[in-house]
């Protein structure tokens, strides 16, 4: 197939081809060429495509080159969405600049971030006029002063360009905001960082975004046909790290109302401690009184929510997060509706009397924020949409409990079908972990796609030579009281065998803590450093320390099963303590399982098992990141061999030598 660069895909990817001529160490992979052909065919036929691309396929080049070709040929933008910053950085700082150097034709690339990543010059200028009452400490004032100096030298005005990271509550006060924007009427419009990027987006051949921005745009378009989206119109989309597609879409379709969001609004209207805020600025005694009354009703509302789950919190103890499904509408009295409505009306009157555009916009932003909070609270308490799951999340870790009320769609598949797959000419979804039982039936059902092209592009690595899977014999069942002592002994044995260089992956903090306490002292005695998730080091610092000390071991839970890249000898051993079945205790998971049961399905084979298979594939994938990596994967859960479904786990993994001891 010819590309608009006048080179065929084979001429670009083949041995001695364009990439190998310019990229040292590049090796031809048939799977990469095959994926590139499938992406090009999907674009040409206006079809959707799912690709599972095993580690080492080189999927970014395989979709970038057809995307560039399409963008130049059809003169329209192709959007590429990633889930993680690390992949986005790889594309923007490594893969795309390389292709810009070697491909015959130039192409434009724009990295787009969410609006609130950009500083608003006008909000920074007006900050001390309207929101001094939101400053709690002198440190916050100092941070704003540093931002005011930085704005004169920054290239793109985004938070990532700051040499230090401000507190979230500080950045919120200066970030570009949809509600608080004058658009073309703003005196800073021509130098606005956000609108500069907006203009660049419309001229982009490739537009790089993350999943959150992608679904923020889709949500705006879904909720209002007339509303302008965040992104320019597009018909071709590539979703990398597509195993996060359902979760991100679900998050953006959810509604939440919290005591912290409400406090932020009320503080910005009138802060009783500092005697400052919007009400003080516009000299509005009625607004001050209404804010005071709203605070009183806020306490009543959230105390009533706490009372509903008080017994469970006491049973669990302090310092925990509790989630609980809300099964009935009007589970608490909505005592906040009247005071919030009164605030709305007062803000509307103030806006009508505003003397300047800045004043009018500032009041409008607060009015819209108040109205949105009132609507969201009403939706959750009345449970107006039967397709949503209603639940509360209470965190008692701080001095003041953080209370969230949530409404989450039980399934997102219909929304994705209606507003993504039906609307776009071609959506390419790719990841290293999408298939279960060597097909995409589970993934397709979850995201709501029926007909599409499919490709399983297996890893080109020689797993037979690079990996041994160890499944110790005689391990007790995970439900047995003997399981954790047996796991502890085996982990110690295998860590001594490789002298660290290992990830030990758990499915619960409780088990991780127990095993760590039993093993860590002995490991330290023989010169093996230990790192545990949740300890003093951050996740990033812990990974860096692990990479630098090749005789170390990292004990981790969910976040270390995926998205972690440690190459070479530093990681030669991955120990899976239990098959990663997730107990569906979360309200949304409970609702999804219930739906399967109600239609006569089998929740284990239709939900729990496929989810666990994908999770195991992700954990296994931590070990082999390059063609020169090698090591062992230890699976300590005997069910992988003793249960009938165990074969599905093993069949989902690459073909490796299996060792049973």
């Amino acid at each position: 197939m010819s590309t608009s660069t006048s080179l065929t895909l084979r001429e670009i990817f083949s041995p001695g081809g364009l990439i190998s001529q310019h990229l040292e160490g590049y090796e031809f992979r048939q799977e990469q060429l095959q994926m590139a052909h499938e992406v090009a065919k999907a674009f040409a036929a206006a079809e959707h495509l799912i690709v599972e691309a095993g580690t080492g396929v080189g999927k970014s080049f395989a979709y970038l080159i057809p995307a560039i070709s399409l963008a130049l040929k059809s003169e329209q933008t192709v959007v590429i969405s990633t889930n993680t910053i690390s992949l986005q950085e790889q594309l923007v700082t490594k893969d795309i600049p390389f292709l810009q150097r070697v491909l015959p034709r130039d192409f434009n690339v724009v990295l787009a971030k969410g609006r609130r990543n950009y500083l608003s010059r006008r909000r920074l200028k007006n900050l001390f006029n309207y929101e001094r009452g939101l400053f709690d400490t002198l440190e916050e004032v100092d941070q704003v002063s540093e931002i005011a100096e930085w704005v004169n030298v920054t290239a793109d005005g985004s938070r990532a360009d700051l040499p230090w990271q401000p507190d979230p509550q500080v950045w919120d006060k200066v970030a570009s905001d949809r509600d608080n924007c004058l658009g073309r009427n703003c005196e800073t419009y021509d130098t606005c960082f956000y609108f500069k990027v907006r203009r660049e987006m419309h001229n982009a051949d490739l537009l790089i975004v993350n999943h959150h921005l992608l679904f923020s745009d889709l949500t705006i378009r879904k909720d209002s046909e007339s509303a302008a989206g965040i992104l320019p119109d597009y018909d071709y989309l590539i979703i990398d790290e597509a195993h996060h597609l359902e979760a991100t879409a679900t998050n953006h379709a959810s509604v939440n109302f919290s005591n912290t969001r409400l406090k932020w609004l009320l503080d910005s209207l009138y802060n009783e401690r500092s005697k400052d805020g919007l009400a003080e600025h516009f000299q509005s005694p009625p607004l001050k009184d209404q804010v005071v009354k709203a605070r009183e009703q806020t306490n009543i509302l959230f105390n009533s929510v706490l009372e509903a789950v008080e017994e469970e919190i006491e049973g669990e103890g302090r310092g925990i997060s509790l989630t609980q499904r809300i099964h009935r509408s009007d589970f608490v009295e909505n005592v906040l509706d009247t005071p919030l409505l009164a605030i709305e009306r007062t803000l509307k009157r103030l806006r009508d009397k505003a003397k300047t555009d800045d004043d009018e916009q500032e009041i409008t932003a607060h009015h819209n924020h108040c109205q949105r909070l009132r609507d969201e609270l009403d939706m959750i308490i009345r449970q107006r949409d039967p397709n949503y799951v209603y639940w509360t999340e209470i965190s008692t870790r701080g001095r003041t409990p953080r209370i969230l009320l949530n409404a989450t769609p039980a399934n997102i598949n219909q929304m994705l079908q209606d507003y993504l797959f039906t609307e776009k000419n071609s959506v390419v979804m790719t990841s290293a972990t999408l298939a279960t039982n060597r097909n995409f039936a589970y993934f397709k059902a979850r995201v709501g796609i029926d007909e599409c092209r499919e490709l399983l592009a297996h890893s080109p690595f020689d797993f037979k030579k690079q990996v041994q899977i160890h499944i110790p014999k005689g391990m007790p069942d995970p439900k047995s009281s003997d399981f954790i002592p047996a796991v502890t002994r085996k982990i110690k044995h295998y860590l001594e065998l490789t002298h660290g260089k290992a990830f030990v992956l758990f499915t619960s903090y409780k088990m991780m803590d127990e095993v760590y306490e039993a093993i860590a002292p002995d490991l330290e005695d023989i010169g093996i450093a230990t790192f545990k998730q949740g300890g003093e080091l951050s996740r990033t610092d812990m990974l860096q320390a692990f990479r630098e000390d090749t005789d170390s071991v990292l004990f981790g839970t969910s976040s270390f099963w995926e998205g972690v890249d440690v190459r070479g000898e530093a990681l030669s051993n991955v120990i899976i303590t239990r098959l990663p079945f997730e107990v569906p205790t979360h309200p949304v998971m409970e609702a999804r399982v219930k739906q399967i049961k109600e239609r006569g399905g089998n929740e284990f084979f239709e939900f729990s098992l496929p989810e666990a298979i994908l999770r195991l594939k992700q954990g296994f994938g931590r070990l082999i990141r390059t063609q020169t990596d090698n090591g062992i994967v230890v699976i300590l859960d005997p069910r992988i061999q003793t249960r009938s479904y165990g074969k599905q786990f093993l069949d989902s993994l690459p073909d490796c030598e299996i060792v049973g001891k």
Side-chain angles (χ1 to χ4, degrees), residues 371-386:
Q371 187 178 58
R372 194 158 49 242
L373 284 173
R374 192 168 68 88
D375 290 345
E376 289 168 352
L377 179 61
D378 179 71
M379 183 241 185
I380 294 169
I381 290 180
R382 289 174 57 193
Q383 300 194 4
R384 290 188 297 185
D385 193 328

Side-chain angles (χ1 to χ4, degrees), residues 438-451:
R438 306 191 182 192
N439 65 68
F440 299 111
Y442 177 69
F443 176 76
K444 288 165 69 176
R446 296 309 314 166
V447 301
I449 189 168
D450 298 322
E451 296 298 321

Side-chain angles (χ1 to χ4, degrees), residues 67 93 139 158 242 257 290 326 392 435 453 470 482 504 636 643:
T93 65
E139 183 183 356
S158 76
F257 183 95
Q290 288 160 357
I326 304 165
T392 181
R453 305 177 75 93
H470 288 247
D482 297 328
V504 186
L636 298 176
R643 301 293 173 88

Side-chain angles (χ1 to χ4, degrees), residues 633-649:
V633 173
V634 181
I635 302 174
L636 298 176
D637 191 328
R639 292 175 295 179
I640 200 163
Q641 287 188 323
T642 60
R643 301 293 173 88
S644 58
Y645 58 74
K647 188 174 185 300
Q648 294 188 38
F649 281 102

Side-chain angles (χ1 to χ4, degrees), residues 559-629:
S559 65
F560 282 94
W561 287 70
E562 65 169 305
V564 179
D565 192 358
V566 179
R567 303 179 177 216
E569 186 187 12
L571 183 57
S572 305
N573 181 1
V574 172
I575 301 176
I576 310 286
T577 53
R578 289 182 66 144
L579 293 177
F581 287 109
E582 184 177 349
V583 181
T585 55
H586 190 281
V588 179
M589 299 299 108
E590 282 182 344
R592 289 174 177 171
V593 166
K594 183 182 178 185
Q595 286 183 342
I596 293 171
K597 290 179 179 178
E598 287 175 346
R599 62 173 171 73
N602 185 307
E603 73 273 14
F604 179 77
F605 288 104
E606 292 184 36
F607 183 78
S608 299
L609 182 59
E611 282 290 318
I613 288 172
L614 290 172
R615 203 72 177 143
L616 181 69
K617 289 172 69 173
Q618 289 162 353
F620 178 93
R622 296 314 95 218
L623 182 66
I624 303 299
R625 310 303 297 172
T626 71
Q627 289 182 322
T628 57
D629 288 346

Side-chain angles (χ1 to χ4, degrees), residues 451-466:
E451 296 298 321
C452 65
R453 305 177 75 93
E454 300 176 9
L455 174 65
L456 272 169
H458 298 294
S459 170
F461 296 156
D462 189 348
F463 284 93
K464 273 279 191 183
K465 290 183 178 179
Q466 291 179 260

Side-chain angles (χ1 to χ4, degrees), residues 14-299:
S14 65
L18 185 72
I19 296 178
S20 65
Q21 290 172 24
H22 296 89
L23 187 60
E24 187 177 350
Y26 175 79
E27 294 185 8
F28 170 70
R29 288 151 284 182
Q30 183 63 42
E31 298 85 358
Q32 186 182 48
L33 177 60
Q34 185 184 14
M35 178 177 170
H37 274 300
E38 284 299 313
V39 173
K41 288 175 185 175
F43 285 160
E47 294 177 334
H48 304 313
L49 168 67
I50 301 173
V51 183
E52 178 173 282
T55 309
V57 165
K59 59 181 166 55
S60 58
F61 279 177
Y63 62 66
L64 282 171
I65 289 171
I68 295 164
S69 175
L70 174 74
L72 294 175
K73 188 176 180 180
S74 63
E75 296 186 349
Q76 58 180 307
T77 301
V78 178
V79 175
I80 299 172
S81 181
T82 76
N83 186 66
T84 59
I85 293 173
S86 58
L87 178 55
Q88 205 170 70
E89 287 177 345
Q90 177 194 315
L91 293 176
V92 173
T93 65
K94 184 180 174 186
D95 296 341
I96 290 173
F98 169 78
L99 293 176
Q100 286 176 318
R101 289 195 305 272
V102 303
L103 289 177
R105 286 187 59 185
D106 293 335
F107 58 94
N108 297 323
V109 181
V110 173
L111 170 63
K113 303 172 186 177
R115 180 170 193 152
R116 295 192 65 83
N117 281 279
Y118 297 97
L119 177 127
S120 164
R121 294 179 186 271
R122 189 182 67 83
R123 289 195 73 198
L124 178 64
K125 176 185 170 185
N126 291 340
L127 182 61
F128 289 96
N129 290 333
Y130 301 108
E131 297 183 351
R132 282 177 296 175
L134 288 180
F135 291 127
D136 292 326
T137 65
L138 286 174
E139 183 183 356
E140 291 184 4
V141 177
D142 290 341
Q143 288 187 15
V144 173
S145 298
E146 289 189 52
I147 290 172
E149 294 179 10
W150 163 80
V151 73
N152 296 316
V153 296
T154 177
D156 68 356
S158 76
R159 181 168 47 182
D161 196 46
L162 266 168
W164 51 277
Q165 287 306 297
D167 294 338
Q169 64 269 26
V170 172
W171 185 257
D172 279 346
K173 299 178 183 69
V174 297
S176 181
D177 182 82
R178 187 182 182 89
D179 287 336
N180 201 329
C181 179
L182 290 170
R184 294 180 182 274
N185 294 325
C186 179
E187 64 180 4
T188 68
Y189 177 77
D190 291 336
T191 57
C192 175
F193 297 114
Y194 173 68
F195 281 105
K196 175 176 177 284
V197 172
R198 283 289 297 261
R199 290 189 288 271
E200 291 172 350
M201 278 194 248
H202 286 273
N203 296 317
D205 296 310
L206 298 186
L207 183 59
I208 312 299
V209 304
N210 63 25
H211 292 355
H212 289 284
L213 183 57
L214 176 72
F215 284 104
S216 294
D217 177 70
L218 285 176
T219 301
I220 290 171
R221 294 171 186 269
K222 175 180 76 70
D223 292 342
S224 173
E225 291 184 8
S226 61
I230 302 168
L231 307 178
D233 291 340
Y234 62 96
D235 293 315
Y236 297 90
L237 169 66
I238 296 167
I239 302 177
D240 203 340
E241 299 177 305
H243 57 286
H244 289 286
L245 174 59
E246 182 189 15
T248 311
T250 299
N251 180 51
H252 277 274
S254 298
V255 172
N256 64 72
F257 183 95
S258 69
N259 55 344
T260 52
R261 280 182 69 200
L262 190 59
K263 181 181 183 301
W264 192 96
L265 172 68
L266 297 178
D267 279 352
S268 67
L269 292 171
Y270 181 58
N271 189 318
E272 295 168 75
R273 178 182 52 79
S274 63
K275 307 298 181 188
D276 210 338
L278 204 74
E280 182 68 24
H281 180 82
F282 290 104
Q283 293 296 298
S284 175
L287 185 56
K288 292 180 184 179
D289 292 340
Q290 288 160 357
V291 169
V292 171
K293 289 176 183 176
R295 287 191 200 280
E296 293 170 357
Q297 297 306 313
T298 298
N299 292 332

